[in-house]
Amino acid sequence: AQSVAQPEDQVNVAEGNPLTVKCTYSVSGNPYLFWYVQYPNRGLQFLLKYITGDNLVKGSYGFEAEFNKSQTSFHLKKPSALVSDSALYFCAVRDMGNTPLVFGKGTRLSVIA
Amino acid sequence: GAVVSQHPSWVICKSGTSVKIECRSLDFQATTMFWYRQFPKQSLMLMATSNEGSKATYEQGVEKDKFLINHASLTLSTLTVTSAHPEDSSFYICSAPGLAGNLNEQFFGPGTRLTVL
């Protein structure tokens, strides 16, 4: 069975500083990994995904994530945080085909001016 | 990218009534749709997989007689919460796998917030 762990409930970072939101996964086959962001009372917005290829994936709004197979991790990063990045971030995984995404519990990011 | 819509975006109902939530794929056909439920400050939990032309498959612990799913066409899936109770209050989100050329993508609707009084 697939699973995702986001070890941090909350991440606080000062505006302009780099941010990292951690994610580790477990899947039987090759993982398809995703990051989504959710603003209050809104649906999910897609940030980026890793399917295959380069381990460093660049996505929307300046975010990137690095796939590390040996550590089964897919941490989300941004070089310089903005106050507007404050939101709830979800890491998700699926295996091949049309199987549904399995989500981590989410990490609330708070960027302080 | 593909668009998934949900209607209504929010609904308030009395305990004991039934509420129907619609999920539509606007510019692509979806033989499969997923229904998730999200409690405040918690993650999305898969409730069921809706399949066009066949019965939905429910996750363990989800009452199929309470949460009726009908995948009426290749662009419409509905979730009906029957005899709603306050504990059914939640944020319901549907999603659909991407187009044939992008099966790895999953597109999400904006969600429906249900409040049962």
Side-chain angles (χ1 to χ4, degrees), chain A residues 59-77:
Chain A
S60 306
Y61 314 119
F63 284 93
E64 59 187 29
E66 186 167 9
F67 171 64
N68 187 318
K69 188 173 183 178
S70 63
Q71 296 185 5
T72 62
S73 66
F74 190 56
H75 302 329
L76 181 70
K77 300 181 180 183

Side-chain angles (χ1 to χ4, degrees), chain A residues 32 34 36 38 41-44 46 49 51 88 90 94-106 108, chain B residues 31-32 34 36 38 41-44 46 49 59 91 93 97-98 102-111 113:
Chain A
Y32 298 147
F34 300 79
Y36 287 86
Q38 186 181 37
N41 296 311
R42 301 284 295 278
L44 298 178
F46 171 77
K49 66 181 178 183
I51 305 300
L88 187 58
F90 290 101
R94 70 187 298 188
D95 59 15
M96 59 186 297
N98 278 347
T99 56
L101 285 172
V102 173
F103 287 85
K105 64 179 181 178
R108 186 163 300 281
Chain B
T31 56
T32 300
F34 305 116
Y36 291 85
Q38 185 183 26
K41 299 183 179 181
Q42 294 190 29
S43 187
L44 284 77
L46 181 67
T49 300
E59 297 300 300
F91 195 50
I93 304 173
N102 193 11
L103 280 174
N104 300 309
E105 191 62 73
Q106 192 168 321
F107 301 98
F108 287 84
R113 182 160 300 283

Side-chain angles (χ1 to χ4, degrees), chain B residues 3 14 26 28 40 42 57 60 64 72 85 90 92 95 101-102:
Chain B
V3 177
K14 293 182 178 180
L26 295 186
F28 67 104
Q42 294 190 29
T57 55
Q60 189 173 6
K64 61 181 180 181
H85 289 102
S90 189
Y92 294 86
S95 74
N102 193 11

